[in-house]
Amino acid sequence: MIKSSTNRTTAVCRVALLTALASASLSAQITTLTFEGLGNLEPVLNFYNGGLGGSGSGPGVNYGVSFSPDALAIIDSDAPGGTGNFGGEPSPSTVLFFLASSAVMNYPTGFDTGFSFYYSSVFNPVSVSVYDGINKTGNLLATIPLAVTSSDGGDPSGSFSPFFPVGVSFSGTARSVDFGGAANQVGFDNITFGSAVPTGVVPEPSTYAALVAVAAIGGHQWYRRRKAA
Ligand SMILES: [Ca+2]
Ligand SMILES: [Ca+2]
Ligand SMILES: [Ca+2]
């Protein structure tokens, strides 16, 4: 009787803990920029900041995110109206690229937990840095190295193809991102705030799935013990 009661208490605690962990992982605020709705070679500017892109598109969803003037949307040349030399983008057919050697994205209200995106960089390795102040000021929270990616020839055309997911977890609150060294040589898409895995990635047999499986097993054992008692 005593043993049964102890087991039951342990099992209940375990289930409660797992439920709490699952809830915490799901409550993170995750936002993704797909750049769909912007024109070919249009500056993104305030499209995601309650305003318009440089050619008058938008407004998109107001996430409070703005880009420096050299951050441009570009549409795949395989799609109507596009001139982009890319393929395999996670959200067709518009991606982001930069004409400046250092372009900045500001998110003054801030985001936490992680930052991620898809990219293609077939010639040069570059890096992306995350800061806790706007305009790449304050503390450097994380740097994401971007290795040179392979090219599969496009969808059906495009050298910058496919796009690969990359991301980083960090502590603190981020307010700006520096896309240094990415001038005209890197394409980005599905820029995701609040997660080290960009939206669009099909999860591996995930931590969350494992937690659910363990919780179910624990619950079942507890039910059997309770019934036996
Ligand atoms: Ca495409
Ligand atoms: Ca293409
Ligand atoms: Ca897109």
Side-chain angles (χ1 to χ4, degrees):
M1 193 62 187
I2 292 171
K3 187 171 184 292
S4 174
S5 177
T6 304
N7 284 347
R8 179 180 157 184
T9 304
T10 305
V12 170
C13 288
R14 191 180 299 135
V15 170
L17 175 62
L18 291 168
T19 304
L21 286 171
S23 301
S25 68
L26 288 177
S27 67
Q29 183 74 36
I30 298 174
T31 297
T32 300
L33 311 184
T34 65
F35 306 99
E36 304 309 310
L38 285 151
N40 193 52
L41 300 178
E42 178 172 12
V44 180
L45 293 177
N46 292 303
F47 183 84
Y48 291 114
N49 193 31
L52 304 177
S55 305
S57 296
V61 177
N62 184 1
Y63 295 120
V65 180
S66 62
F67 287 82
S68 58
D70 287 304
L72 307 182
I74 186 167
I75 297 173
D76 192 345
S77 61
D78 293 312
T83 59
N85 177 25
F86 63 85
E89 66 278 16
S91 55
S93 294
T94 310
V95 305
L96 175 75
F97 79 115
F98 299 96
L99 283 180
S101 58
S102 177
V104 177
M105 178 181 68
N106 282 318
Y107 195 157
T109 54
F111 61 100
D112 57 20
T113 308
F115 178 65
S116 51
F117 49 83
Y118 282 75
Y119 81 102
S120 175
S121 178
V122 294
F123 297 116
N124 304 308
V126 295
S127 65
V128 168
S129 300
V130 180
Y131 294 86
D132 68 1
I134 63 167
N135 293 319
K136 54 179 180 175
T137 61
N139 299 302
L140 176 65
L141 299 181
T143 296
I144 310 171
L146 305 184
V148 171
T149 57
S150 58
S151 177
D152 64 3
D155 58 354
S157 68
S159 300
F160 290 81
S161 176
F163 281 59
F164 292 88
V166 65
V168 66
S169 296
F170 58 84
S171 300
T173 300
R175 295 186 177 82
S176 68
V177 176
D178 177 24
F179 294 85
N184 204 11
Q185 292 297 325
V186 189
F188 299 91
D189 204 4
N190 287 29
I191 289 179
T192 301
F193 308 99
S195 172
V197 180
T199 299
V201 173
V202 177
E204 299 290 321
S206 70
T207 307
Y208 179 60
L211 286 172
V212 170
V214 171
I217 291 167
H220 183 58
Q221 287 177 336
W222 168 62
Y223 174 77
R224 285 181 64 187
R225 286 198 194 100
R226 189 185 184 198
K227 202 175 175 185

